[in-house]
Amino acid sequence: MRALILSDIHSNLEALTAVMESAPEHEVVWNLGDVVGYGASPNEVIDRVRGLGQTFVRGNHDRACSGLTGLEDFNPIASRAAKWTRCVLSAEHTDWLKHIPQGPVMPDGPLVSCVHGSLLDEDEYVMTVRDAWLPLREAQTRINFFGHTHLQGGFATNGEEWFRLSPKYGSRNGAEAYELPLRANGRYLINPGSVGQPRDGDWRAAFALYDDTAMTVAFCRVPYDVRQAQSRILDAGLPDRLAFRLREGR
Ligand code: ZN
């Protein structure tokens, strides 16, 4: 079985469209949260992702934009975008967001978990090997997919050594993939990167493909119509920074 893994789409319809057009063949889609927030197409993006599969984990922006939590923990720009999203979301989509389950969700037997932040705390940012150590030691599952940081890559351990996983690409232009073989004795925390607001210096939409027969994860990047996504953000009256950062991948 091959699972397409999406995270942090953040209401970016252009990025999601490019990902779905270029995605390799897959049987299921696993979504790691933050479907909305920041971008200008929340209703269109929800319409699209609801049709893609059943596996969803909620993100902090999904909670905030549906009114499940307040905006106290958000910076002023994120807060403005969340308020705007609350205003434009249809009642049906707001309700759908409210009912996305909290992670971990186990979509594929005893081997795999999907979370938004960390296995132990849905809002925690796993940025370093130090952050990864405890959740990966405590994890019930060997292969764990997470999002939230918008940084493609992750962490692995064989019980003794710890590794940082970072895909290597040749350019910043076309579509590219970087394949990671999963070792039988390895425990993994893997971030597919952000579809709609990458922050690893690469503006291209990020996603991953997990193959449980070949035991591989392919990290993928694909260019998208970033100017269109930016225009929508500016036309909506959302903060300029949310448009400009897309081209920088920051
Ligand atoms: Zn996010």
Side-chain angles (χ1 to χ4, degrees):
M1 182 223 41
R2 287 157 302 181
L4 180 69
I5 305 172
L6 309 179
S7 191
D8 297 279
I9 300 169
H10 282 294
S11 300
N12 187 334
L13 182 64
E14 289 71 26
L16 177 62
T17 302
V19 165
M20 295 318 296
E21 280 170 2
S22 75
E25 257 189 86
H26 56 273
E27 286 76 43
V28 291
V29 177
W30 298 342
N31 195 304
L32 309 182
D34 281 2
V35 173
V36 297
Y38 295 135
S41 307
N43 287 304
E44 296 85 343
V45 163
I46 292 175
D47 273 333
R48 188 89 202 262
V49 296
R50 282 176 76 176
L52 294 177
Q54 275 84 48
T55 300
F56 289 90
V57 173
R58 70 184 188 186
N60 51 321
H61 287 257
D62 302 324
R63 300 203 318 271
C65 292
S66 61
L68 218 48
T69 52
L71 301 172
E72 305 78 34
D73 295 337
F74 276 30
N75 67 47
I77 288 179
S79 177
R80 264 181 69 189
K83 284 178 190 157
W84 178 89
T85 305
R86 285 178 179 177
C87 288
V88 301
L89 272 178
S90 72
E92 190 199 340
H93 288 160
T94 302
D95 192 56
W96 180 79
L97 283 174
K98 276 185 182 160
H99 289 91
I100 301 177
Q102 179 179 353
V105 163
M106 292 169 65
D108 189 29
L111 197 59
V112 177
S113 289
C114 291
V115 299
H116 184 65
S118 147
L119 288 141
L120 305 174
D121 176 351
E122 63 179 327
D123 291 333
E124 187 188 339
Y125 290 90
V126 181
M127 310 279 286
T128 64
V129 168
R130 203 184 171 86
D131 300 333
W133 185 79
L134 188 62
L136 205 43
R137 204 193 58 175
E138 300 283 309
Q140 308 290 311
T141 44
R142 204 163 68 71
I143 298 165
N144 305 284
F145 294 102
F146 74 106
H148 198 34
T149 64
H150 301 208
L151 305 173
Q152 193 179 48
F155 307 93
T157 180
N158 56 17
E160 291 169 5
E161 295 162 294
W162 288 75
F163 307 91
R164 183 182 269 275
L165 311 171
S166 41
K168 309 268 183 298
Y169 297 115
S171 73
R172 290 277 157 87
N173 298 312
E176 286 185 273
Y178 177 89
E179 194 171 275
L180 174 78
L182 301 173
R183 315 264 175 225
N185 65 342
R187 295 172 70 76
Y188 293 89
L189 260 171
I190 295 172
N191 191 327
S194 168
V195 171
Q197 196 199 74
R199 294 179 193 163
D200 43 18
D202 186 337
W203 67 277
R204 297 173 297 176
F207 62 99
L209 187 87
Y210 167 60
D211 185 328
D212 73 354
T213 308
M215 285 311 278
T216 54
V217 168
F219 292 107
C220 305
R221 300 305 280 238
V222 61
Y224 71 96
D225 190 348
V226 67
R227 291 173 74 171
Q228 177 66 27
Q230 290 176 316
S231 305
R232 280 189 208 263
I233 287 171
L234 298 172
D235 291 350
L238 285 160
D240 292 3
R241 168 83 186 121
L242 293 174
F244 300 140
R245 69 184 302 171
L246 294 180
R247 195 68 186 86
E248 300 162 13
R250 292 281 175 209

